[in-house]
Amino acid sequence: MSRPTFRFAPSPNGRLHLGHAFSALLNERMAREAGGRFLLRIEDIDQPRCTDELTQAMLADLAWLGLAWEEPVLRQSAHLARYHAAQQRLRDAGLLYPCFCSRRDIALKAAAHETRDPEGQPVYPGTCRQLSQDEREARLARALPHAWRIVMDDAVARIGEPLSFSEESSGEVVHERACPEAWGDVVLARKDIGTSYHIAVVVDDARQAITHVVRGRDLFQATSIHLVLQQLLALPTLRYFHHGLIDDARGRKLSKSLGSRSLRDLRAEGVTPQDVRRALGF
Ligand code: GLU
């Protein structure tokens, strides 16, 4: 059996807040209690939103909190070729198609359909899936800007069996049925950056031999997409723990004392790492 391996994987597109601190501390504690490893991954594919300055500030905040992660830290922006290779495999398998729609096109079409994904966004109505091969090639030859989407129904059919994952946040192992169809044909390579969170996260979880994914409840539904990609790319299955978000019940109490200010602001106001840890229950 591989050694239990946990990761905290923030996106440095802003300052870290208490919610990030909670997730990082929880990962570290669970890793320690399991006698496992605690890794840090910087999810900075979204350049230039994820600046180097924000990354450095984030590392400083995490060190200030007293977190100790294993080196080296994986920075996704340095490994784009890996994500492109995974996308290429899916393209070669006939499971991706280029989508030339603008946000506006999608909004107009989707309004008529009214199907929403688990995050409440309109499900892509499949416009570009219907393009003929000739039309597709002609548009690609003209270098029209495009994203790449997965044909979700085909992907699910290709896997051929219902997917489920183990969710351990209740203290027991619960087998959650995945529901990737609810997402429709999600984008796996964005028009602007050429890749996506979903691809990068599954590739790197496997690459770093992660065994336990401990992250916020807001990503619970996205796990269904990750399971599909893990199956299609023959990557290992992981154990999941989606913790409550700090801005719910606990956050309301906390906001009286520490507020929704960034860790950097709290630090500047004289709040200590011990204050933060105590407030978050560590
Ligand atoms: N980078 C993601 C975020 O900051 C988290 C990714 C994950 O834990 O899977 O929301």
Side-chain angles (χ1 to χ4, degrees), residues 95 97 129 149-157 180-186 224-225 228:
L95 290 171
Y97 63 91
R129 195 178 53 221
R149 292 181 179 274
I150 188 165
V151 193
M152 190 60 91
D153 286 346
D154 288 2
V156 167
E181 298 89 341
W183 287 99
D185 294 354
V186 286
S224 292
I225 302 171
V228 166

PDB file of all heavy atoms in Angstrom, residues 95 97 129 149-157 180-186 224-225 228:
ATOM      1  N   LEU A  95     -12.854  11.645 -27.792  1.00  0.00           N
ATOM      2  CA  LEU A  95     -13.787  12.078 -26.755  1.00  0.00           C
ATOM      3  C   LEU A  95     -13.842  13.596 -26.563  1.00  0.00           C
ATOM      4  O   LEU A  95     -14.555  14.070 -25.692  1.00  0.00           O
ATOM      5  CB  LEU A  95     -13.430  11.396 -25.427  1.00  0.00           C
ATOM      6  CG  LEU A  95     -13.716   9.892 -25.396  1.00  0.00           C
ATOM      7  CD1 LEU A  95     -13.133   9.254 -24.142  1.00  0.00           C
ATOM      8  CD2 LEU A  95     -15.232   9.635 -25.461  1.00  0.00           C
ATOM      9  N   TYR A  97     -14.125  17.558 -28.484  1.00  0.00           N
ATOM     10  CA  TYR A  97     -14.407  18.304 -29.718  1.00  0.00           C
ATOM     11  C   TYR A  97     -14.159  19.793 -29.473  1.00  0.00           C
ATOM     12  O   TYR A  97     -14.311  20.275 -28.348  1.00  0.00           O
ATOM     13  CB  TYR A  97     -15.837  18.051 -30.216  1.00  0.00           C
ATOM     14  CG  TYR A  97     -16.936  18.503 -29.286  1.00  0.00           C
ATOM     15  CD1 TYR A  97     -17.479  19.788 -29.377  1.00  0.00           C
ATOM     16  CD2 TYR A  97     -17.453  17.655 -28.318  1.00  0.00           C
ATOM     17  CE1 TYR A  97     -18.508  20.196 -28.525  1.00  0.00           C
ATOM     18  CE2 TYR A  97     -18.475  18.055 -27.475  1.00  0.00           C
ATOM     19  CZ  TYR A  97     -18.995  19.324 -27.579  1.00  0.00           C
ATOM     20  OH  TYR A  97     -19.996  19.730 -26.739  1.00  0.00           O
ATOM     21  N   ARG A 129     -20.924  20.336 -30.886  1.00  0.00           N
ATOM     22  CA  ARG A 129     -20.873  18.873 -31.030  1.00  0.00           C
ATOM     23  C   ARG A 129     -21.546  18.464 -32.338  1.00  0.00           C
ATOM     24  O   ARG A 129     -21.226  17.438 -32.934  1.00  0.00           O
ATOM     25  CB  ARG A 129     -21.560  18.221 -29.824  1.00  0.00           C
ATOM     26  CG  ARG A 129     -21.250  16.749 -29.679  1.00  0.00           C
ATOM     27  CD  ARG A 129     -21.903  16.150 -28.446  1.00  0.00           C
ATOM     28  NE  ARG A 129     -23.325  16.422 -28.419  1.00  0.00           N
ATOM     29  CZ  ARG A 129     -24.021  16.771 -27.342  1.00  0.00           C
ATOM     30  NH1 ARG A 129     -23.421  16.895 -26.169  1.00  0.00           N
ATOM     31  NH2 ARG A 129     -25.311  17.010 -27.408  1.00  0.00           N
ATOM     32  N   ARG A 149     -14.087  20.505 -25.487  1.00  0.00           N
ATOM     33  CA  ARG A 149     -15.054  19.946 -24.547  1.00  0.00           C
ATOM     34  C   ARG A 149     -15.078  18.438 -24.647  1.00  0.00           C
ATOM     35  O   ARG A 149     -14.821  17.877 -25.719  1.00  0.00           O
ATOM     36  CB  ARG A 149     -16.475  20.459 -24.872  1.00  0.00           C
ATOM     37  CG  ARG A 149     -16.667  21.927 -24.618  1.00  0.00           C
ATOM     38  CD  ARG A 149     -18.107  22.350 -24.942  1.00  0.00           C
ATOM     39  NE  ARG A 149     -18.290  23.754 -24.680  1.00  0.00           N
ATOM     40  CZ  ARG A 149     -18.620  24.281 -23.498  1.00  0.00           C
ATOM     41  NH1 ARG A 149     -18.844  23.490 -22.460  1.00  0.00           N
ATOM     42  NH2 ARG A 149     -18.744  25.578 -23.336  1.00  0.00           N
ATOM     43  N   ILE A 150     -15.457  17.799 -23.553  1.00  0.00           N
ATOM     44  CA  ILE A 150     -15.594  16.335 -23.560  1.00  0.00           C
ATOM     45  C   ILE A 150     -17.020  15.973 -23.975  1.00  0.00           C
ATOM     46  O   ILE A 150     -17.971  16.697 -23.632  1.00  0.00           O
ATOM     47  CB  ILE A 150     -15.261  15.752 -22.171  1.00  0.00           C
ATOM     48  CG1 ILE A 150     -15.213  14.232 -22.206  1.00  0.00           C
ATOM     49  CG2 ILE A 150     -16.240  16.237 -21.092  1.00  0.00           C
ATOM     50  CD1 ILE A 150     -14.552  13.615 -20.977  1.00  0.00           C
ATOM     51  N   VAL A 151     -17.161  14.898 -24.732  1.00  0.00           N
ATOM     52  CA  VAL A 151     -18.507  14.394 -25.035  1.00  0.00           C
ATOM     53  C   VAL A 151     -18.882  13.525 -23.828  1.00  0.00           C
ATOM     54  O   VAL A 151     -18.522  12.343 -23.755  1.00  0.00           O
ATOM     55  CB  VAL A 151     -18.531  13.519 -26.313  1.00  0.00           C
ATOM     56  CG1 VAL A 151     -19.974  13.283 -26.762  1.00  0.00           C
ATOM     57  CG2 VAL A 151     -17.720  14.134 -27.423  1.00  0.00           C
ATOM     58  N   MET A 152     -19.547  14.132 -22.874  1.00  0.00           N
ATOM     59  CA  MET A 152     -19.725  13.444 -21.593  1.00  0.00           C
ATOM     60  C   MET A 152     -20.500  12.134 -21.726  1.00  0.00           C
ATOM     61  O   MET A 152     -20.129  11.126 -21.131  1.00  0.00           O
ATOM     62  CB  MET A 152     -20.400  14.385 -20.582  1.00  0.00           C
ATOM     63  CG  MET A 152     -20.411  13.840 -19.183  1.00  0.00           C
ATOM     64  SD  MET A 152     -18.733  13.526 -18.532  1.00  0.00           S
ATOM     65  CE  MET A 152     -18.368  15.099 -17.751  1.00  0.00           C
ATOM     66  N   ASP A 153     -21.558  12.129 -22.526  1.00  0.00           N
ATOM     67  CA  ASP A 153     -22.344  10.885 -22.645  1.00  0.00           C
ATOM     68  C   ASP A 153     -21.493   9.749 -23.220  1.00  0.00           C
ATOM     69  O   ASP A 153     -21.576   8.609 -22.769  1.00  0.00           O
ATOM     70  CB  ASP A 153     -23.578  11.104 -23.531  1.00  0.00           C
ATOM     71  CG  ASP A 153     -24.644  11.911 -22.793  1.00  0.00           C
ATOM     72  OD1 ASP A 153     -24.532  12.056 -21.556  1.00  0.00           O
ATOM     73  OD2 ASP A 153     -25.576  12.409 -23.456  1.00  0.00           O
ATOM     74  N   ASP A 154     -20.674  10.082 -24.206  1.00  0.00           N
ATOM     75  CA  ASP A 154     -19.806   9.049 -24.800  1.00  0.00           C
ATOM     76  C   ASP A 154     -18.766   8.581 -23.791  1.00  0.00           C
ATOM     77  O   ASP A 154     -18.435   7.393 -23.726  1.00  0.00           O
ATOM     78  CB  ASP A 154     -19.073   9.586 -26.037  1.00  0.00           C
ATOM     79  CG  ASP A 154     -20.017   9.762 -27.228  1.00  0.00           C
ATOM     80  OD1 ASP A 154     -21.229   9.493 -27.063  1.00  0.00           O
ATOM     81  OD2 ASP A 154     -19.544  10.184 -28.298  1.00  0.00           O
ATOM     82  N   ALA A 155     -18.235   9.525 -23.028  1.00  0.00           N
ATOM     83  CA  ALA A 155     -17.210   9.168 -22.038  1.00  0.00           C
ATOM     84  C   ALA A 155     -17.801   8.210 -21.003  1.00  0.00           C
ATOM     85  O   ALA A 155     -17.205   7.181 -20.675  1.00  0.00           O
ATOM     86  CB  ALA A 155     -16.676  10.428 -21.352  1.00  0.00           C
ATOM     87  N   VAL A 156     -18.992   8.541 -20.551  1.00  0.00           N
ATOM     88  CA  VAL A 156     -19.657   7.707 -19.541  1.00  0.00           C
ATOM     89  C   VAL A 156     -19.958   6.324 -20.134  1.00  0.00           C
ATOM     90  O   VAL A 156     -19.735   5.294 -19.495  1.00  0.00           O
ATOM     91  CB  VAL A 156     -20.941   8.418 -19.035  1.00  0.00           C
ATOM     92  CG1 VAL A 156     -21.821   7.478 -18.237  1.00  0.00           C
ATOM     93  CG2 VAL A 156     -20.562   9.640 -18.198  1.00  0.00           C
ATOM     94  N   ALA A 157     -20.428   6.309 -21.395  1.00  0.00           N
ATOM     95  CA  ALA A 157     -20.743   5.030 -22.052  1.00  0.00           C
ATOM     96  C   ALA A 157     -19.465   4.203 -22.218  1.00  0.00           C
ATOM     97  O   ALA A 157     -19.472   2.985 -22.035  1.00  0.00           O
ATOM     98  CB  ALA A 157     -21.390   5.291 -23.401  1.00  0.00           C
ATOM     99  N   PRO A 180     -21.687  12.419 -13.414  1.00  0.00           N
ATOM    100  CA  PRO A 180     -21.009  13.301 -14.368  1.00  0.00           C
ATOM    101  C   PRO A 180     -21.945  13.848 -15.445  1.00  0.00           C
ATOM    102  O   PRO A 180     -21.733  14.947 -15.960  1.00  0.00           O
ATOM    103  CB  PRO A 180     -19.927  12.423 -14.980  1.00  0.00           C
ATOM    104  CG  PRO A 180     -20.330  11.013 -14.695  1.00  0.00           C
ATOM    105  CD  PRO A 180     -21.154  11.047 -13.446  1.00  0.00           C
ATOM    106  N   GLU A 181     -22.995  13.094 -15.763  1.00  0.00           N
ATOM    107  CA  GLU A 181     -23.920  13.537 -16.824  1.00  0.00           C
ATOM    108  C   GLU A 181     -24.526  14.891 -16.494  1.00  0.00           C
ATOM    109  O   GLU A 181     -24.839  15.677 -17.390  1.00  0.00           O
ATOM    110  CB  GLU A 181     -25.064  12.533 -17.014  1.00  0.00           C
ATOM    111  CG  GLU A 181     -24.644  11.151 -17.445  1.00  0.00           C
ATOM    112  CD  GLU A 181     -24.337  10.220 -16.266  1.00  0.00           C
ATOM    113  OE1 GLU A 181     -24.092  10.730 -15.146  1.00  0.00           O
ATOM    114  OE2 GLU A 181     -24.317   9.001 -16.480  1.00  0.00           O
ATOM    115  N   ALA A 182     -24.666  15.165 -15.200  1.00  0.00           N
ATOM    116  CA  ALA A 182     -25.301  16.425 -14.800  1.00  0.00           C
ATOM    117  C   ALA A 182     -24.479  17.642 -15.241  1.00  0.00           C
ATOM    118  O   ALA A 182     -25.001  18.755 -15.310  1.00  0.00           O
ATOM    119  CB  ALA A 182     -25.488  16.455 -13.289  1.00  0.00           C
ATOM    120  N   TRP A 183     -23.210  17.417 -15.541  1.00  0.00           N
ATOM    121  CA  TRP A 183     -22.348  18.533 -15.957  1.00  0.00           C
ATOM    122  C   TRP A 183     -22.412  18.797 -17.459  1.00  0.00           C
ATOM    123  O   TRP A 183     -21.950  19.851 -17.917  1.00  0.00           O
ATOM    124  CB  TRP A 183     -20.894  18.238 -15.584  1.00  0.00           C
ATOM    125  CG  TRP A 183     -20.612  18.352 -14.129  1.00  0.00           C
ATOM    126  CD1 TRP A 183     -20.538  17.348 -13.224  1.00  0.00           C
ATOM    127  CD2 TRP A 183     -20.348  19.562 -13.404  1.00  0.00           C
ATOM    128  NE1 TRP A 183     -20.247  17.847 -11.992  1.00  0.00           N
ATOM    129  CE2 TRP A 183     -20.125  19.198 -12.072  1.00  0.00           C
ATOM    130  CE3 TRP A 183     -20.276  20.920 -13.766  1.00  0.00           C
ATOM    131  CZ2 TRP A 183     -19.846  20.132 -11.083  1.00  0.00           C
ATOM    132  CZ3 TRP A 183     -20.002  21.851 -12.781  1.00  0.00           C
ATOM    133  CH2 TRP A 183     -19.786  21.457 -11.456  1.00  0.00           C
ATOM    134  N   GLY A 184     -22.856  17.820 -18.214  1.00  0.00           N
ATOM    135  CA  GLY A 184     -22.832  17.985 -19.670  1.00  0.00           C
ATOM    136  C   GLY A 184     -21.395  17.987 -20.186  1.00  0.00           C
ATOM    137  O   GLY A 184     -20.480  17.479 -19.530  1.00  0.00           O
ATOM    138  N   ASP A 185     -21.221  18.574 -21.365  1.00  0.00           N
ATOM    139  CA  ASP A 185     -19.916  18.556 -22.041  1.00  0.00           C
ATOM    140  C   ASP A 185     -19.002  19.650 -21.472  1.00  0.00           C
ATOM    141  O   ASP A 185     -18.845  20.725 -22.073  1.00  0.00           O
ATOM    142  CB  ASP A 185     -20.104  18.783 -23.552  1.00  0.00           C
ATOM    143  CG  ASP A 185     -20.856  17.634 -24.205  1.00  0.00           C
ATOM    144  OD1 ASP A 185     -21.121  16.627 -23.524  1.00  0.00           O
ATOM    145  OD2 ASP A 185     -21.158  17.749 -25.415  1.00  0.00           O
ATOM    146  N   VAL A 186     -18.366  19.381 -20.355  1.00  0.00           N
ATOM    147  CA  VAL A 186     -17.550  20.435 -19.731  1.00  0.00           C
ATOM    148  C   VAL A 186     -16.287  20.725 -20.551  1.00  0.00           C
ATOM    149  O   VAL A 186     -15.809  19.880 -21.307  1.00  0.00           O
ATOM    150  CB  VAL A 186     -17.127  20.093 -18.277  1.00  0.00           C
ATOM    151  CG1 VAL A 186     -18.275  20.224 -17.316  1.00  0.00           C
ATOM    152  CG2 VAL A 186     -16.485  18.730 -18.204  1.00  0.00           C
ATOM    153  N   SER A 224     -17.211  14.203  -9.558  1.00  0.00           N
ATOM    154  CA  SER A 224     -17.770  13.319 -10.590  1.00  0.00           C
ATOM    155  C   SER A 224     -17.001  13.445 -11.902  1.00  0.00           C
ATOM    156  O   SER A 224     -16.765  12.449 -12.591  1.00  0.00           O
ATOM    157  CB  SER A 224     -19.244  13.665 -10.846  1.00  0.00           C
ATOM    158  OG  SER A 224     -20.026  13.331  -9.731  1.00  0.00           O
ATOM    159  N   ILE A 225     -16.629  14.663 -12.239  1.00  0.00           N
ATOM    160  CA  ILE A 225     -15.858  14.882 -13.477  1.00  0.00           C
ATOM    161  C   ILE A 225     -14.467  14.250 -13.318  1.00  0.00           C
ATOM    162  O   ILE A 225     -13.944  13.609 -14.229  1.00  0.00           O
ATOM    163  CB  ILE A 225     -15.713  16.393 -13.769  1.00  0.00           C
ATOM    164  CG1 ILE A 225     -17.084  17.055 -13.879  1.00  0.00           C
ATOM    165  CG2 ILE A 225     -14.871  16.637 -15.025  1.00  0.00           C
ATOM    166  CD1 ILE A 225     -17.026  18.580 -13.941  1.00  0.00           C
ATOM    167  N   VAL A 228     -14.435  10.517 -13.879  1.00  0.00           N
ATOM    168  CA  VAL A 228     -14.492  10.157 -15.305  1.00  0.00           C
ATOM    169  C   VAL A 228     -13.096  10.264 -15.917  1.00  0.00           C
ATOM    170  O   VAL A 228     -12.627   9.361 -16.615  1.00  0.00           O
ATOM    171  CB  VAL A 228     -15.489  11.082 -16.054  1.00  0.00           C
ATOM    172  CG1 VAL A 228     -15.332  10.970 -17.561  1.00  0.00           C
ATOM    173  CG2 VAL A 228     -16.918  10.752 -15.632  1.00  0.00           C
TER     174      VAL A 228
END
